[in-house]
Each structure stands twice: as C-alpha cells, then as structure tokens.
Amino acid sequence: MQEVEGVVNGTYDYTKLKGDTGPLVYPAGFVYIYLALYYITSYGHNIRLGQYLFAGLYILSLVVLFDIYRKTNKVPPYAFVFMCCASYRIHSIYVLRLFNDPVAMFFMYLAVCCFLRDRWAVGCLIYSFGVSIKMNLLLFSPALLMVMMVRLGTLSTIGHLAICAAPQVVLAIPFLLENPVGYIVRSFNFGRQFFYVWTVNWRLIPEDIFLNKYFQTALLLAHVLTLLLFFMFKWRRLYPKVKFGIWMQGCNTNLSPNQILLPLCTANLIGMSFSRSLHYQFYVWYFHTLHYLLWSTSQADIVKILILGVIELCWNTYPSTVISSSMLHLCHAFLLYTLWTSPEYTPTVKKAVATKME
C-alpha cells in the first residue's frame, strides 16, 4: 500500500517508489492490482475486506486448478483433500499475508487453461499479465517456448512472443516515460540479493557462501544444465512425431494435456530446486503442481503422500534449520529423479502401468 501510494501522489519514477519494507521491485502489473486494492480497502485500512478478496481469489484459483486436473485425468480425487485442506502455509499466504505471489499464480493457471483449450494467443496475453505482477512465472518460460514451438511452429511462436511482450510495454508506459532505465532496473532486477534470514532452502550453508556470486552462478548453470537435459532426453519424447529444429512447422492437431502440463510444471520445479533463495511465500509457486508431478511418477501412493508431507513440514519450519533445508533439497532431488524415470516418457512402460492399474 505504501509503494502504490506513491503512484497515487503522482510519482512515476520507479526509483522513488518504496515502503517501509524496501523499494518497489515488481513490474507494473503489480502496481495496478494493488492500486485497485488500495481504493477498494479504503486506502489499505480495511484489511479484513482485503482478506475476503484474497479468500475469493483462493477459491477461484482452486476452481481453475480443478479444471486443469480434470483434463489431465491423472490425480486421484482423494489427493485434492491434501491440496485444499492440508497446508497451513498456503492458507496463510493467501488469506493472512496477502502477497502478490498467489495473484500471479492465478493468472498462470488461467493461462494454462487457455493453452489446454488451444487458445494460445489469449493464454500468452494472460501469462504476460501474470509476469507483470511477479517475475517468478518466467520459470515456466523455457518449457512454454518449447511447447509453443511444437504446437504452433517457429513463425507463429514469434508472433505469440510479441503478444507476450506487448502487455509489458503497455502497462509500463507511464513509468517508462518518466524513467525507463529506473523502471527496467528495479522491476526486472535479476541480480537482486536476498536476505539470509528469510531463506527456506539454503540454511544448510553459511551466510558468506549464500551471498557468494560464484555460488549463485553455479546454481544458475545447474539450472540451465538440468533444463537442457530434460529437454534433450525427456521432453522431446512426449512428441514422437515432431522433428525438432530452429525452424519448425508445428502440429496439425491439439496437444494432449500432459504434453503441455508436464514440461511446464517440471521446468518450474527445476527453477525452484536451484533457486538462489526461497522465501516462505514462494511455496505457492509450485504447491498446487506438486500433486500432478508426483502422480506423473511410478512411485507408490504412500510415497507420494509422504513427500507432500515432508515438503509441507519444511515450509512450515520457521525459522528454517539445517535439517529442514536439507530435507527440502532431498525432496526436490527425489522428485526430479522420479520425474526423470517417469513412465510418461516411455510409451510402452506407460501403457503397462495403465494396464496394471486397470
């Protein structure tokens, strides 16, 4: 509220917009969303009304998620109990903390609904608006680019990338006219340092290593390498009839839900696994996709539920400890390994597993 109040007072220079918690570091979409909340909640004073609005957002997000899961036909109904009722941290992020993270994720899931319906232009527009609220949605972008190339082909993908870029420019016009460099540096600052005190995933290392540029560069390289490995040896198997290259023609038929969703959710998980730091509100970045990812593996259901429980325990441990951070990394590593060996990438094994389940 303090950050957007500066805009209300006529300040469009991003370098001058700040609050007690620090400077404004989110793109322009964040400003418009919280500017609306500023007026709806009587200049930020009616917090309970804000909580009601976020509770509504929470329920609406679940409706969208159920539609996505319905199309995948993969996760058993009882798993939705864990998604909706079992996470204290997720409830807190939505209806107590009122962070922008769940707002951004709502637009991500809405975009996925459009992709599943083969509405790529509308989906790209909604996805871009989500990115303008918080940049964490860019973790999905490597897989999204690949999926668009497969479905649409190179030429059409370029056009859809322009659709993704347009809202970023249009929403930012007032700030770009005032101080373009200040806006870009503040809202798309990929080198911003995180505070060690808030880290969930790196409490197992000393603070000097946590802040070390070489360590952060190593994480980025590991992130990129893991994405490349999944692309080269796993994701391409989802499209056996597609010939990959710089210039692609695209498919003549719609992609299946799993051909779209599995790379998207896996790419996001990879980004989370190699993140320089995870803060508590970041849990919402991947919580609602964990169930889909786990049920895309061949592990026993009890193991899947156990992984969900351990991950929840790690995110509920405050302040984080060496043990909680270590367990979180182990869960991420286990999930990535089981996804690597998933029957989704081996049609004969997938068919055998389906027959066994029947």
Side-chain angles (χ1 to χ4, degrees), residues 262-305:
L262 187 56
L264 287 176
C265 295
T266 304
N268 186 51
L269 173 65
I270 293 170
M272 295 282 287
S273 300
F274 295 103
S275 176
R276 290 184 293 131
S277 184
L278 295 175
H279 294 179
Y280 287 94
Q281 65 268 30
F282 297 179
Y283 190 21
V284 78
W285 292 5
Y286 76 158
F287 171 77
H288 294 103
T289 67
L290 291 175
H291 311 77
Y292 170 78
L293 290 173
L294 282 166
W295 265 270
S296 295
T297 71
S298 57
Q299 299 300 307
D301 285 2
I302 187 64
V303 175
K304 299 170 184 175
I305 296 172

Side-chain angles (χ1 to χ4, degrees), residues 71 114-120 147 150-152 238-239 242 250-260:
K71 289 183 175 297
C114 292
F115 299 148
L116 295 180
R117 288 171 168 79
D118 209 40
R119 302 290 299 276
W120 292 92
V147 173
V150 169
R151 176 63 185 94
L152 304 173
L238 295 172
Y239 322 101
V242 174
C251 296
N252 295 323
T253 58
N254 296 349
L255 299 179
S256 72
N258 291 321
Q259 286 177 317
I260 296 172

Side-chain angles (χ1 to χ4, degrees), residues 169-188:
V169 176
V170 173
L171 293 172
I173 285 176
F175 310 104
L176 291 172
L177 291 176
E178 184 70 24
N179 185 351
V181 175
Y183 173 77
I184 294 171
V185 169
R186 277 289 175 84
S187 60
F188 295 97

Side-chain angles (χ1 to χ4, degrees), residues 21-38:
T21 58
L24 175 57
V25 293
Y26 305 116
F30 166 87
V31 174
Y32 296 113
I33 291 292
Y34 278 83
L35 198 59
L37 290 171
Y38 177 82

